[in-house]
Amino acid sequence: MAARFFLGFLILLLHSIISCGVYEDQVGLADWHQRYIGKTKHAVFHSHKTGRKRVVVSTEENVIASLDLRTGDIFWRHVLGENDPVNQVDISLGKYVITLSSEGSVLRAWNLPDGQLIWESVLQFSAPSRSLLHVPTKFGLERESVVFVFGGGWLHAISSIDGEKIWKKELYTEGLDIQQVFQQDDSDSLYAVGFLDSLQFVAYHISVKNGEVLEESKKSFASGFYGSMLLVSRDILVALDASRSSIVSIKFSRGSVSFHQTYISDIVPEVAGIVEIVPSKLSGLFTLKTDASLVLFRFNSIGELVVENTFSHPTILSDSISITEGHQVFAVMQHAETKVHIAVRFVNDLTSEALKETIELHPQRGNVQKVFINNYVKTDRSYGFRALLVMEDHSLLLVQQGKIVWSREDGLASVVDSTTSELPVEKDGVSVAKVEHSLFEWLKGHLLKLKETLMLATPDDIAAIQEMRLKSSEKTKMTRDHNGFRKLIIVLTKAGKVFALHTGDGRVVWSLLLRSLRISEGCECPSVLKLSQWQVPHHRAMVESPSVLVLAKCGPDFLQSGVFSIIDSYTGKLRSSQKLPHSLLQVIPLPFTDSTEQRLHLVIDSNFEAHLYPRTPDSIDIFLREISNIYWYAVDYIEGIMKGYSFNGKCKADMEDQYCFNSKELWSIIFPAHSEKLAIIATRKMNEVVHTQAKVIADQDVMYKYISKSLIFVATISPKAAGEIGSVTPEEAWLIAYLIDAVTGRILHRVIHQGAQGPVNAVVSENWVVYHYFNLRAHRYEMSVIEIYDQSRADNKDVLKLVLGKHNLTSPISLYSRPEVVVKSQSYFFTHSVKVMTVTTTAKGITSKQLLIGTIADQVLALDKRYLDPRRTASPTQSEKEEGIIPLTDTLPIIPQSYVTHSLQVEGIRGIVTIPAKLESTTLVFAYGVDLFFTRIAPSRTYDSLTEDFNYALLLITIVALVAAILVTWVLSEKKELRDRWK
């Protein structure tokens, strides 16, 4: 009986072990996913009494989203892609979201409640032009619901019900720039106004019913116009003259156009510098922006310009909204240190304020850059107002009744670079209360887990288990763990803000906006470039904090000065910031550290002179000692030229600067412009660890990997094939792959793929390269692999030489000696288009490699490198099978369980970062785009540890059952032996 019980229990145990998968209560244990939308460009409120209150926004990341006004959560969201930027957004009929994108060529209607695409209309193009969308606000019973779109020189009338084109009218003329499309009081006619060669004002009066031009008015202006015009009232437009010294008011009516020129200095004497008209919608008002202030203008009853108000910088004005018939209001946002004063004023009477509030903003959010307001009716029947603020760090805030209702860190949708930092070392001295609390939680957790194993857990118990796992103290602690899973992911965003994210749950530990660059360093328009580790203390890890380096330029021009900012990795405090006395063309982190463990960096300026940082005597000694082994290269993608450099001494222009060095050109490669265009350049990760140089193959032979950190992969395509896939014939397209040594400029290998077209993605690791492209002949994507081996070490195969010590494994290698290399390559079909590729990295480089592929579906796929082995054959021998070589197939397999992101999507994926953990089996993976995703994977399974979800309760039951079975068996055996002896 006991034996049967034991056998049945053992079968149950074996079945429980081999079952695999991610269960519902395991979601979020080792991964997290965060959804964002990016910096808001347009916002339209929809807060009717019936239905949910929401705001529809479009962003710089080409996202259209509907947000809950109460919480800021995303109702629905669509990412249109980087080649489909959103130009305008509006709401039609109270139920459709109308979006215009791709420079006015694509018009879409989305269902407001759920975001489903209702219809899409692709519009005709004559030539690139300004794109304009006009959605009428009122419709009579006899009118059809129509939206008007101008783009590419054509004016279209589109039905908002089904997207059908009702009529179209070409307004394209050489030099014509249509600036505004509008109706006067929702009449049956439409106006399209603009400039012709910036010298002539043109107005088209068009019938709404059939698109017929009822009247065309033109009038020249001698001084010419500058920039864009703005509609102030139903028949008055304003613009600046070509010199931007006067305001031109343009009054038009049927058949007549008149200009009135007012010099700015006559009405605003203190205005100096560059002026421009702010493109806002203020009924009867318009704003002029100067270097020091915003000036609000109005036309008086006799048509003269008068100054209504002057605001000092930084001040932001919203568009006007209607609250009652004939009453419109707009918001004025003014900064005062960390506070923001909000005033809602009436358009017709600026002295009256419908609302006046002051809110406190976190200084790390920067200034308000845009504001959108919306009104609502309070319980006492008075009007209240809510304001949607777009901040300098790209975050989004909703302010209501003097409080911040919610905020969104949407700057994280525009990550440009990332690095990692270790957490502080856990120090001694843990309180007894903390230990007791942890012990209680541990016992409670295992009790609940035991109930779950015995299938006695209630739904509340299962929810408690999941909550305890998600809030595990081990997962979210701010100290290092022995497995190396807990780290800080430090990311740099397009807004110039640095975030530190905890790998446990993705929360923001600290953030820092580098707005001080504009103030202290005199950078008018700083643009961030790169994030790098500056100091990683090992010997003094208990008392010193690591730091990161943020590199920026004081403008988009490559001649602009650079800025160094050093940030504490634990606290986010700015340790130092300095403006460099030279330009910043390229930054090269060196694999050396000084006595304080600061990493050496070389900054290459526009004169190709190298500047060493940190500027300390210790760093210069290290650099001079290693200068003969330091090389770098530069690439000119436009001209198709690669050049390699070394250093030949200190700068001659400034002999006093001992940290400046001249570059000496060593080699150059010119790719002929008529046949080759640079597509991609890829190199190995500088911190990649290679476990062994030798590779033992099936016949017990040894091949030695050609491992060099100076190996560069270069891919070029034919100039005609630089467009979209299918834009050329296979005979006109080719891809050429190069393996180049960065020290000597020697081309180690070159292969041509006829009929291949980009886009090209590539990854380099150890001695191999994998690259992805499109095969026009097969009409499929392909992935090719190249492996390069060093034949100069072939003598090391002799065991006798190895025993006698006559091998050359430790002999020095010079890249100037021509290497004896052998190359193996293979190509495979691949199902997906690829956005980005990387390779897993581990602490010692022992674990097998996996390719992490960001697919067109915005998911991350893990593909075992064994599938991309160039030695695969259709019928591998027995020894090759034992080696692990997979039989050859023409297509790489896509296994559904290999998706690292499971069913989630990292919308707009732009990069995948792999971080080695202390456990050799495990790699941490961080993917970023519009969304952020983090997880950890084990390419060769967790062979060196037990998983976190290991069922200790079941193990305990098994041990108890085994002990009980042993005791029962022993008792039965003793009884049987006693009976046998009595016989």
Side-chain angles (χ1 to χ4, degrees):
M1 185 67 185
R4 291 180 181 177
F5 171 78
F6 175 72
L7 182 61
F9 185 80
L10 186 60
I11 294 173
L12 176 64
L13 177 63
L14 289 174
H15 278 285
S16 65
I17 292 175
I18 64 175
S19 299
C20 60
V22 177
Y23 297 97
E24 184 180 358
D25 62 343
Q26 292 176 311
V27 174
L29 287 180
D31 58 77
W32 45 262
H33 179 233
Q34 298 175 354
R35 304 171 71 210
Y36 297 101
I37 57 174
K39 184 182 180 182
T40 299
K41 294 192 299 184
H42 311 100
V44 183
F45 289 91
H46 184 268
S47 53
H48 290 175
K49 292 181 180 179
T50 58
R52 296 178 177 178
K53 294 179 172 59
R54 62 181 71 196
V55 57
V56 179
V57 300
S58 67
T59 72
E60 291 183 355
E61 300 299 325
N62 303 335
V63 176
I64 303 163
S66 175
L67 305 179
D68 190 340
L69 276 178
R70 294 184 178 89
T71 62
D73 294 336
I74 299 174
F75 276 130
W76 53 263
R77 180 188 62 166
H78 295 287
V79 182
L80 300 185
E82 62 178 300
N83 297 323
D84 193 10
V86 183
N87 304 116
Q88 283 180 272
V89 61
D90 209 336
I91 294 179
S92 176
L93 300 178
K95 60 180 180 179
Y96 298 139
V97 176
I98 307 295
T99 61
L100 182 65
S101 60
S102 296
E103 298 180 351
S105 63
V106 181
L107 186 71
R108 298 182 179 93
W110 314 84
N111 193 32
L112 181 60
D114 56 12
Q116 293 294 320
L117 181 64
I118 304 300
W119 52 260
E120 178 182 89
S121 183
V122 180
L123 308 180
Q124 187 175 353
F125 253 73
S126 292
S129 70
R130 190 188 305 267
S131 57
L132 302 168
L133 172 67
H134 175 65
V135 179
T137 56
K138 296 179 182 179
F139 290 98
L141 295 176
E142 72 282 356
R143 296 188 190 180
E144 186 177 7
S145 174
V146 182
V147 296
F148 302 97
V149 177
F150 177 80
W154 288 81
L155 180 64
H156 293 81
I158 310 295
S159 171
S160 63
I161 303 297
D162 53 14
E164 292 293 325
K165 300 182 182 68
I166 299 173
W167 54 259
K168 63 180 180 179
K169 178 68 179 178
E170 186 176 15
L171 299 178
Y172 177 73
T173 305
E174 188 69 30
L176 177 63
D177 181 15
I178 297 295
Q179 301 258 341
Q180 298 276 340
V181 173
F182 57 90
Q183 288 177 274
Q184 290 182 338
D185 301 327
D186 296 306
S187 61
D188 290 330
S189 60
L190 189 72
Y191 280 93
V193 297
F195 298 136
L196 184 61
D197 296 324
S198 299
L199 294 172
Q200 199 173 33
F201 172 78
V202 180
Y204 295 98
H205 190 204
I206 301 169
S207 171
V208 168
K209 293 182 180 179
N210 52 25
E212 180 185 354
V213 177
L214 303 176
E215 198 165 15
E216 180 180 350
S217 304
K218 295 183 180 179
K219 188 171 183 179
S220 299
F221 183 67
S223 302
F225 298 99
Y226 172 81
S228 58
M229 68 173 67
L230 187 68
L231 181 67
V232 178
S233 62
R234 63 186 307 272
D235 57 355
I236 297 179
L237 296 145
V238 293
L240 293 175
D241 70 333
S243 63
R244 289 196 273 183
S245 61
S246 62
I247 301 171
V248 182
S249 59
I250 308 168
K251 189 169 184 179
F252 66 97
S253 58
R254 302 198 175 194
S256 65
V257 178
S258 61
F259 300 129
H260 184 268
Q261 188 173 6
T262 305
Y263 286 94
I264 300 173
S265 58
D266 292 342
I267 52 178
V268 189
E270 65 275 10
V271 169
I274 299 175
V275 297
E276 60 179 337
I277 294 176
V278 178
S280 58
K281 298 177 182 178
L282 294 171
S283 180
L285 302 169
F286 72 96
T287 310
L288 199 67
K289 184 179 180 180
T290 69
D291 291 341
S293 60
L294 288 179
V295 184
L296 197 61
F297 292 92
R298 185 198 298 273
F299 287 97
N300 60 17
S301 58
I302 59 175
E304 294 180 344
L305 272 178
V306 293
V307 177
E308 283 287 335
N309 209 334
T310 302
F311 306 100
S312 60
H313 285 312
T315 301
I316 302 295
L317 306 181
S318 74
D319 292 342
S320 59
I321 61 170
S322 297
I323 55 173
T324 58
E325 189 70 28
H327 289 85
Q328 293 186 325
V329 295
F330 68 101
V332 180
M333 308 285 298
Q334 291 182 294
H335 284 268
E337 296 180 352
T338 61
K339 295 182 179 180
V340 175
H341 302 294
I342 306 175
V344 178
R345 301 185 179 183
F346 289 93
V347 170
N348 297 330
D349 184 8
L350 296 183
T351 59
S352 301
E353 294 181 341
L355 177 70
K356 188 173 183 179
E357 295 175 343
T358 300
I359 60 171
E360 187 85 18
L361 288 181
H362 197 284
Q364 295 304 327
R365 296 198 181 275
N367 295 331
V368 178
Q369 293 194 335
K370 288 184 180 180
V371 57
F372 306 92
I373 64 168
N374 174 241
N375 66 295
Y376 62 94
V377 180
K378 296 182 180 179
T379 55
D380 59 357
R381 312 306 298 170
S382 63
Y383 284 99
F385 298 91
R386 54 174 73 96
L388 193 68
L389 309 184
V390 182
M391 306 302 296
E392 186 178 347
D393 67 343
H394 297 184
S395 60
L396 191 64
L397 287 72
L398 184 75
V399 176
Q400 187 172 327
Q401 296 180 356
K403 296 180 180 179
I404 299 176
V405 180
W406 51 260
S407 62
R408 295 180 51 87
E409 290 288 359
D410 285 306
L412 287 169
S414 57
V415 173
V416 295
D417 201 3
S418 68
T419 186
T420 58
S421 174
E422 294 289 347
L423 285 164
V425 178
E426 189 169 5
K427 298 179 181 179
D428 297 332
V430 181
S431 66
V432 176
K434 186 173 182 181
V435 173
E436 289 178 349
H437 176 74
S438 301
L439 181 60
F440 174 75
E441 293 292 328
W442 183 85
L443 290 173
K444 180 181 176 183
H446 279 285
L447 181 61
L448 289 172
K449 198 169 184 180
L450 181 60
K451 291 177 66 178
E452 181 187 22
T453 303
L454 299 175
M455 293 181 288
L456 300 175
T458 64
D460 293 337
D461 291 337
I462 295 175
I465 292 171
Q466 187 172 6
E467 184 179 358
M468 289 180 67
R469 285 177 173 175
L470 293 175
K471 295 182 178 180
S472 172
S473 59
E474 287 298 319
K475 176 183 174 182
T476 59
K477 284 173 65 174
M478 281 298 296
T479 55
R480 302 181 191 181
D481 61 319
H482 64 280
N483 289 330
F485 295 160
R486 292 198 300 264
K487 295 180 186 292
L488 287 180
I489 301 176
I490 302 176
V491 298
L492 177 65
T493 67
K494 193 187 299 181
K497 192 170 185 179
V498 185
F499 291 87
L501 308 176
H502 196 292
T503 56
D505 53 4
R507 72 182 186 276
V508 177
V509 178
W510 55 260
S511 60
L512 177 67
L513 179 64
L514 297 175
R515 58 180 303 192
S516 59
L517 300 182
R518 294 200 314 269
I519 303 169
S520 61
E521 306 302 335
C523 285
E524 294 297 329
C525 184
S527 58
V528 292
L529 291 177
K530 189 176 178 60
L531 193 64
S532 177
Q533 290 185 346
W534 177 254
Q535 185 179 25
V536 183
H538 296 287
H539 305 297
R540 298 177 57 83
M542 297 291 290
V543 294
E544 289 188 4
S545 302
S547 56
V548 294
L549 170 66
V550 179
L551 296 149
K553 287 195 300 185
C554 292
D557 191 355
F558 70 92
L559 296 175
Q560 295 288 339
S561 299
V563 180
F564 260 35
S565 300
I566 300 172
I567 303 171
D568 190 294
S569 298
Y570 290 166
T571 63
K573 292 182 180 179
L574 187 65
R575 288 187 180 179
S576 64
S577 182
Q578 59 174 322
K579 187 176 182 180
L580 306 182
H582 50 78
S583 58
L584 197 157
L585 182 65
Q586 187 175 342
V587 181
I588 306 173
L590 299 177
F592 313 116
T593 57
D594 62 9
S595 58
T596 61
E597 298 185 272
Q598 293 182 115
R599 188 172 183 179
L600 273 60
H601 288 73
L602 280 178
V603 177
I604 312 299
D605 63 15
S606 56
N607 298 320
F608 293 96
E609 293 179 340
H611 303 266
L612 180 65
Y613 292 90
R615 301 168 74 90
T616 60
D618 190 21
S619 65
I620 195 71
D621 291 341
I622 296 171
F623 182 75
L624 291 175
R625 190 164 58 246
E626 301 286 345
I627 191 171
S628 60
N629 297 320
I630 299 174
Y631 301 85
W632 66 281
Y633 67 93
V635 183
D636 188 338
Y637 281 88
I638 298 176
E639 299 296 331
I641 300 175
M642 285 185 67
K643 293 182 178 181
Y645 298 87
S646 67
F647 302 100
N648 63 350
K650 297 181 180 179
C651 297
K652 297 178 181 179
D654 189 1
M655 295 300 294
E656 296 181 358
D657 188 0
Q658 60 176 335
Y659 301 98
C660 181
F661 298 87
N662 274 328
S663 296
K664 177 177 66 176
E665 184 179 328
L666 296 178
W667 56 267
S668 64
I669 299 175
I670 301 175
F671 300 97
H674 66 277
S675 61
E676 295 183 56
K677 178 181 175 61
L678 281 171
I680 192 172
I681 294 176
T683 59
R684 272 183 60 195
K685 294 180 180 179
M686 294 300 294
N687 60 349
E688 184 183 33
V689 178
V690 180
H691 176 62
T692 178
Q693 186 185 3
K695 180 177 182 179
V696 181
I697 58 178
D699 56 0
Q700 303 305 312
D701 198 359
V702 179
M703 300 180 69
Y704 291 93
K705 304 173 185 176
Y706 181 82
I707 297 173
S708 172
K709 291 187 177 181
S710 61
L711 186 67
I712 308 172
F713 171 78
V714 179
T716 64
I717 57 174
S718 60
K720 289 185 178 180
E724 295 182 355
I725 293 175
S727 58
V728 292
T729 62
E731 291 73 22
E732 297 174 317
W734 56 82
L735 182 148
I736 307 177
Y738 297 87
L739 293 180
I740 301 174
D741 183 75
V743 174
T744 62
R746 184 180 291 116
I747 297 176
L748 302 174
H749 181 67
R750 178 177 181 267
V751 62
I752 302 176
H753 299 273
Q754 291 289 345
Q757 188 178 6
V760 184
N761 288 278
V763 62
V764 182
S765 177
E766 294 190 352
N767 67 319
W768 52 266
V769 182
V770 173
Y771 52 103
H772 176 273
Y773 53 91
F774 189 79
N775 188 327
L776 289 171
R777 297 184 188 277
H779 304 287
R780 300 173 73 177
Y781 287 102
E782 271 188 4
M783 290 183 78
S784 294
V785 58
I786 299 175
E787 290 187 358
I788 182 169
Y789 294 92
D790 188 355
Q791 286 292 93
S792 64
R793 296 185 178 272
D795 294 340
N796 296 327
K797 300 173 185 177
D798 193 333
V799 178
L800 183 60
K801 288 185 177 181
L802 190 64
V803 172
L804 297 176
K806 295 183 178 181
H807 58 82
N808 63 348
L809 282 176
T810 58
S811 60
I813 298 175
S814 173
L815 292 173
Y816 283 102
S817 60
R818 189 172 188 86
E820 299 177 29
V821 297
V822 62
V823 172
K824 297 182 180 295
S825 61
Q826 184 66 271
S827 296
Y828 304 91
F829 290 125
F830 189 65
T831 307
H832 291 295
S833 175
V834 172
K835 288 187 175 182
V836 64
M837 280 200 306
T838 191
V839 65
T840 56
T841 55
T842 54
K844 303 297 182 184
I846 302 172
T847 305
S848 60
K849 302 283 186 179
Q850 281 187 342
L851 287 175
L852 299 180
I853 301 169
T855 67
I856 193 66
D858 293 321
Q859 292 183 298
V860 179
L861 174 69
L863 182 65
D864 198 316
K865 170 60 175 63
R866 292 184 303 163
Y867 289 111
L868 286 156
D869 192 332
R871 296 172 53 237
R872 288 177 63 186
T873 59
S875 300
T877 63
Q878 183 61 33
S879 58
E880 287 177 334
K881 290 179 180 179
E882 292 174 359
E883 184 188 343
I885 293 179
I886 303 170
L888 178 65
T889 55
D890 62 345
T891 305
L892 294 172
I894 304 297
I895 304 171
Q897 291 82 3
S898 297
Y899 282 99
V900 174
T901 48
H902 312 302
S903 62
L904 302 173
Q905 286 182 298
V906 186
E907 294 281 4
I909 187 170
R910 292 189 304 272
I912 304 172
V913 181
T914 57
I915 310 151
K918 290 182 181 179
L919 279 180
E920 170 58 26
S921 65
T922 308
T923 298
L924 309 182
V925 179
F926 174 63
Y928 60 87
V930 177
D931 296 345
L932 302 181
F933 178 81
F934 173 85
T935 189
R936 57 177 186 257
I937 61 174
S940 300
R941 300 187 181 274
T942 53
Y943 57 82
D944 53 358
S945 66
L946 294 174
T947 59
E948 281 191 0
D949 59 344
F950 183 81
N951 202 328
Y952 292 96
L954 188 58
L955 176 63
L956 181 61
I957 293 173
T958 305
I959 294 171
V960 171
L962 286 173
V963 171
I966 291 171
L967 291 175
V968 170
T969 306
W970 178 74
V971 171
L972 293 176
S973 176
E974 288 291 326
K975 289 183 177 180
K976 184 177 182 298
E977 184 179 357
L978 182 61
R979 284 197 305 268
D980 291 342
R981 287 182 179 181
W982 276 100
K983 287 182 179 178

